[in-house]
Amino acid sequence: MSQPSISSKKRLLFIFVVSTLAIFSLIIRLGWIQIVEGEWYKEKANAQQTRDIPIPAKRGIIYDRNGKELAISASNSTVWAKPKEIKNVEETAESLAEILDLDEEELKKDLQKSYGLVRVARWIDDDLASKVRQANLKGVWLAEDNKRHYPFGNFASFILGHTSDDNEGLAGIELEYNKYLKGYPGRWIKNTDGAGRQLAFSTERYHPPENGLNVVLTIDEVIQHFTEKAVENALEINDATRVKAIVMDVKTGDILAMSAKPDYDPNNPRTPLDEELAKALEEMDNEEKLKTWFGMWRNPIINDTYEPGSTFKLITTAIALEEAVSTPESRYYSSGTINVAGRTIKCWRHYNPHGDQSLTEAVQNSCNPVFVMLAEKFGVGTFYNYLDAFGFTSITDIDLPGETGSIMYNESLVGPVELATMSFGQSISVTPMQLITAISAIANDGNLMQPKIVKELVDNDGKVVQRFENTMIRQVISKKTSEEMREIMESVVSEGSGKAAYIPGYRVGGKTGTAQKVKDGVYAQGLYVASFIGIAPADDPELAVLVIVDEPKGFSTFGSLTAGPVVKEILEESLRYLDIKPKYTAEEEEKLVKADIVVPEVRQMTVKEASKVLNESKLLYNVETEHDHDHGDHEEDDAIVVDMFPKPGASVPENSIILLYTKHDENASTVKVPDLKGKTIREVNNILSNLGLRLKISGSGLVAKQQPEADSVVEPGTVISVEFMTNSQ
């Protein structure tokens, strides 16, 4: 056997060394992958095999104080896709684009991604969701999603605010309480192979979402409705730029209603309700659009300031009374003007001066010079101490986002002229929320309450998680001063410039305000802010209402004529809704209250005789028995009254209608069946018994069906089958 050559040995040695190095390198590489980079590859493998589907949390409901739903989350379907699982992108994009009315090319770009999840379409309706399921597209699936919905459209939009597409609060309560409302999202995690099939023996994990808490507002949906209706009407009647209104519970600080028009629909927050603005928006660039949107969403009641004008005179008057520099009976003389540090300040009626008047009359007359005199007496330091005490030097801290503070001079810069103009509500700008809070304190025995718009937070089981209690900040004026102020405010409505807010049976107090509007730092000619603040009942206030009409261009610019009637409308409807009974004066009773009449006995009389007796008693009547229309009026007049409702002896207001049930002619061989639909069991029983017919009933409430039908001719004694239904049915 021949020995291997030296060259063969070298080749074998080379192959051996190379093979050894290669194997050793592979061992090192494998060790590196397994030990050093093992965790990274494990995570990457899990990521490729794991389908992680987000499950959004259901946003909490926003209720009014009585449990009425104002904002809810409706369940919808969202279409998701995983590009790596889609084999034919073009066919998938074509199918989805056709079903969902999407741009096919844009969708193709999204589906060509090599990683992650793609949200194809959000909040599609049930019909489209069904079509997507039927298409059975690989790598495409539906997941439940929640869309925010506001059942009443633009109702209370500045209070509720709205959310983004990702269900994050962007304005109002939705923003302020976002962390409570939004909850925590869940996840659905499962392991799949490259084809998207779930792996055998894999662990599927479902982490349910934690739904958000529900927010219960202090708002009363009914009072909010009254307010919105009144504000909408005022905007149109006065041809105003904007109208704002707040209703506050004087004793608690609860906001019962808050409205400003024009507003927006939180269901479509980027589409203005004004058609002209909507068209203009289409031509704007993105920056202009953002500015327009934020301006549209801005709540002017807490985000904007205005010069309150004469409504602020109530603050000056309260300070003067509390500091004992005046009494309601103190006398003042106004010549129509007053000179302050060389500057002439006029009364609104300077051409016909008010002359000698008491402080109460000065408030009624809204005479500027008198309030200048009061401010001069108590001085700048005292004035600013009370401005601070009434809350004008800070925000009210109401639970709504973006609240603005007042704009006023620094105390050190206030001279005689500045003090004089501030005394009657000019040269100082406040928010509507600050003013109504301060005036409510005047009406509430001097107690300044913390205004609030959220009552409590509750979970899905109705359990209260957090309750926001009523908070008294401080007592600003004495109970005696408060009582005097309420009497003065009531006199403004009963005798002074606020007569437009007078409501018979209710003691209403108030104050008008008309201020020239400031634009670009100067008073604009012909532009005014008209306002009225009212409280009721003045002897024991429950409600305070502030209405502001911005730039009225209608029949008047005076607050008494533009804002006063709006306050009256809101107060009148709200007081009756709250079951606060009217207390009429003797004069009001004589004019307005109808006297109670005792119902006389008219049974066994003919209809003609009964009508005469009822007319003499100032009562009306209605005959309920059916008769053959061919018989004529004379026979009906001779019909005998066998029953009546209300019964004799009952007390009813004059002009009330008395139902008379008459007896049918017993000698008749046939009877015409009357129309019984809409009548009560009692009425039907009386009618049929008088006609000699028998009754078979089913159900309860009002008649919905009858057999035989109305106008059928039957014999006396025939059974009439009647089916009753309640109104809700």
Side-chain angles (χ1 to χ4, degrees):
M1 182 175 179
S2 61
Q3 294 293 323
S5 66
I6 293 173
S7 61
S8 296
K9 289 179 180 181
K10 286 181 179 180
R11 283 196 295 271
L12 287 172
L13 181 62
F14 176 76
I15 292 169
F16 174 75
V17 171
V18 170
S19 299
T20 302
L21 289 173
I23 292 169
F24 185 69
S25 298
L26 287 173
I27 292 170
I28 292 172
R29 180 60 180 158
L30 185 60
W32 181 267
I33 292 172
Q34 291 279 17
I35 299 169
V36 179
E37 293 183 338
E39 197 62 34
W40 183 82
Y41 278 106
K42 181 181 177 182
E43 289 177 4
K44 194 167 184 179
N46 283 336
Q48 290 175 342
Q49 295 172 356
T50 301
R51 178 180 285 179
D52 188 352
I53 303 170
I55 309 294
K58 194 168 187 179
R59 197 170 175 86
I61 299 170
I62 301 177
Y63 296 101
D64 88 324
R65 67 188 301 119
N66 298 314
K68 188 82 171 181
E69 294 178 347
L70 303 180
I72 60 175
S73 289
S75 292
N76 293 85
S77 295
T78 292
V79 182
W80 290 90
K82 194 167 186 177
K84 289 198 73 172
E85 296 177 6
I86 298 174
K87 289 187 176 179
N88 192 323
V89 171
E90 290 192 0
E91 286 184 7
T92 303
E94 184 181 354
S95 297
L96 287 175
E98 184 179 350
I99 295 170
L100 302 172
D101 192 23
L102 299 174
D103 185 280
E104 186 176 335
E105 292 304 317
E106 287 295 324
L107 187 54
K108 227 182 264 186
K109 290 178 185 177
D110 290 335
L111 297 182
Q112 284 171 344
K113 293 177 181 177
S114 60
Y115 58 90
L117 296 174
V118 173
R119 187 164 64 192
V120 178
R122 196 172 192 188
W123 301 328
I124 64 172
D125 60 35
D126 292 342
D127 290 340
L128 292 179
S130 178
K131 289 179 181 178
V132 171
R133 287 192 190 94
Q134 290 171 4
N136 196 24
L137 301 170
K138 192 172 185 56
V140 177
W141 69 94
L142 293 165
E144 185 179 330
D145 202 350
N146 296 306
K147 183 181 180 182
R148 202 59 166 165
H149 178 62
Y150 304 88
F152 303 107
N154 64 328
F155 182 84
S157 55
F158 288 120
I159 299 170
L160 301 175
H162 62 279
T163 61
S164 67
D165 290 344
D166 294 322
N167 264 336
E168 291 287 330
L170 289 181
I173 291 295
E174 297 280 25
L175 173 59
E176 186 73 5
Y177 284 84
N178 186 58
K179 65 180 180 181
Y180 300 107
L181 285 163
K182 69 178 183 179
Y184 298 94
R187 309 204 77 79
W188 178 26
I189 302 169
K190 58 181 181 177
N191 297 113
T192 60
D193 60 14
R197 296 183 295 264
Q198 187 161 347
L199 295 173
F201 309 110
S202 65
T203 302
E204 182 176 343
R205 286 169 291 171
Y206 179 77
H207 302 284
E210 185 178 328
N211 292 335
L213 294 174
N214 304 315
V215 174
V216 180
L217 303 180
T218 61
I219 295 297
D220 189 307
E221 183 263 338
V222 176
I223 297 178
Q224 179 73 23
H225 170 76
F226 295 152
T227 304
E228 298 230 354
K229 180 186 68 173
V231 167
E232 188 74 55
N233 291 339
L235 183 72
E236 183 177 348
I237 291 169
N238 294 290
D239 190 20
T241 302
R242 171 159 266 170
V243 180
K244 297 166 270 192
I246 322 172
V247 183
M248 177 181 275
D249 185 319
V250 168
K251 292 182 171 64
T252 66
D254 286 356
I255 303 300
L256 301 178
M258 178 191 293
S259 177
K261 302 288 182 180
D263 52 12
Y264 72 100
D265 185 349
N267 290 304
N268 299 289
R270 290 176 176 79
T271 304
L273 296 177
D274 186 318
E275 292 183 4
E276 291 184 9
L277 181 59
K279 289 179 182 177
L281 195 68
E282 294 175 2
E283 307 298 323
M284 296 179 186
D285 58 31
N286 289 337
E287 188 175 339
E288 289 176 319
K289 283 181 179 179
L290 280 173
K291 188 177 179 181
T292 302
W293 287 333
F294 283 115
M296 190 168 66
W297 304 335
R298 183 181 179 87
N299 184 347
I301 291 172
I302 63 165
N303 297 148
D304 294 345
T305 62
Y306 77 111
E307 290 198 356
S310 295
T311 54
F312 200 76
K313 291 172 181 174
L314 295 175
I315 302 296
T316 304
T317 306
I319 298 171
L321 294 176
E322 186 67 16
E323 289 296 304
V325 300
S326 183
T327 68
E329 295 78 28
S330 296
R331 307 301 297 181
Y332 298 90
Y333 181 82
S334 172
S335 62
T337 62
I338 187 170
N339 187 283
V340 179
R343 178 177 168 182
T344 300
I345 294 177
K346 296 179 180 181
C347 175
W348 68 274
R349 211 180 76 173
H350 60 90
Y351 53 87
N352 182 18
H354 292 112
D356 182 65
Q357 57 195 319
S358 68
L359 177 60
T360 298
E361 291 169 333
V363 179
Q364 293 173 13
N365 298 329
S366 201
C367 184
N368 287 351
V370 173
F371 298 95
V372 175
M373 296 177 205
L374 294 176
E376 287 177 343
K377 283 188 176 183
F378 53 68
V380 175
T382 300
F383 188 51
Y384 268 73
N385 286 340
Y386 278 94
L387 290 183
D388 182 54
F390 275 116
F392 290 113
T393 58
S394 60
I395 61 174
T396 66
D397 207 24
I398 188 171
D399 37 356
L400 282 171
E403 185 181 10
T404 302
S406 60
I407 302 172
M408 63 177 74
Y409 292 109
N410 186 294
E411 185 178 348
S412 62
L413 301 177
V414 176
V417 174
E418 290 77 19
L419 177 62
T421 54
M422 289 172 72
S423 72
F424 53 81
Q426 292 194 342
S427 302
I428 180 173
S429 291
V430 301
T431 65
M433 184 58 64
Q434 285 178 316
L435 185 67
I436 195 171
T437 303
I439 300 303
S440 293
I442 290 176
N444 185 32
D445 293 339
N447 298 320
L448 183 71
M449 302 300 295
Q450 169 68 50
K452 69 178 192 292
I453 204 161
V454 172
K455 184 179 177 184
E456 56 196 15
L457 303 176
V458 299
D459 61 19
N460 291 324
D461 296 323
K463 182 182 177 182
V464 176
V465 176
Q466 184 175 353
R467 180 173 283 113
F468 300 92
E469 302 294 344
N470 303 330
T471 305
M472 189 186 92
I473 300 172
R474 68 182 72 90
Q475 184 165 10
V476 185
I477 58 175
S478 66
K479 185 177 180 181
K480 176 178 178 293
T481 300
S482 174
E483 291 170 350
E484 291 173 339
M485 284 300 301
R486 295 201 298 264
E487 290 178 4
I488 291 173
M489 292 173 72
E490 185 178 2
S491 74
V492 171
V493 174
S494 59
E495 303 172 43
S497 57
K499 290 179 180 177
Y502 166 73
I503 304 172
Y506 294 99
R507 295 175 62 179
V508 179
K511 184 70 187 77
T512 61
T514 307
Q516 201 167 0
K517 192 169 181 181
V518 176
K519 278 204 169 182
D520 301 323
V522 296
Y523 288 105
Q525 291 297 320
L527 296 181
Y528 295 90
V529 177
S531 59
F532 193 102
I533 187 153
I535 59 168
D539 54 333
D540 184 20
E542 297 282 344
L543 302 178
V545 179
L546 172 62
V547 170
I548 301 165
V549 181
D550 192 356
E551 296 184 21
K553 296 179 283 291
F555 61 93
S556 175
T557 58
F558 289 113
S560 56
L561 298 176
T562 56
V566 187
V567 171
K568 175 185 177 178
E569 182 180 347
I570 295 170
L571 275 176
E572 188 168 23
E573 292 185 313
S574 299
L575 290 168
R576 294 188 187 280
Y577 161 70
L578 294 172
D579 201 28
I580 299 173
K581 303 295 185 185
K583 299 175 183 177
Y584 296 102
T585 63
E587 185 179 352
E588 288 172 338
E589 282 190 354
E590 186 178 344
K591 287 182 178 180
L592 303 168
V593 181
K594 295 178 180 179
D596 281 348
I597 305 295
V598 177
V599 178
E601 174 66 87
V602 295
R603 288 174 295 190
Q604 302 307 316
M605 296 182 185
T606 63
V607 171
K608 185 175 182 179
E609 293 169 338
S611 66
K612 184 177 179 182
V613 172
L614 294 174
N615 287 335
E616 289 174 352
S617 298
K618 298 182 180 180
L619 294 171
L620 306 176
Y621 73 95
N622 190 23
V623 179
E624 285 295 322
T625 303
E626 288 284 338
H627 287 273
D628 190 329
H629 294 295
D630 295 335
H631 288 174
D633 294 336
H634 177 72
E635 188 165 335
E636 182 177 288
D637 287 344
D638 291 338
I640 304 297
V641 177
V642 295
D643 203 356
M644 58 192 295
F645 183 83
K647 297 294 187 185
S651 293
V652 296
E654 66 179 65
N655 294 327
S656 294
I657 296 176
I658 308 301
L659 300 178
L660 302 179
Y661 300 99
T662 60
K663 190 174 183 179
H664 183 74
D665 183 0
E666 294 177 354
N667 296 320
S669 58
T670 59
V671 179
K672 180 182 276 189
V673 178
D675 186 358
L676 303 173
K677 290 180 181 177
K679 299 192 183 319
T680 64
I681 294 175
R682 178 190 177 90
E683 292 169 339
V684 169
N685 187 56
N686 283 332
I687 292 169
L688 296 184
S689 63
N690 292 334
L691 292 172
L693 299 173
R694 296 162 62 195
L695 174 63
K696 179 182 179 182
I697 65 174
S698 62
S700 62
L702 303 179
V703 175
K705 297 178 182 177
Q706 67 178 81
Q707 189 64 37
E709 294 290 338
D711 295 332
S712 302
V713 177
V714 298
E715 295 180 357
T718 300
V719 175
I720 309 297
S721 298
V722 176
E723 182 179 340
F724 293 87
M725 282 190 181
T726 60
N727 289 332
S728 62
Q729 291 174 300

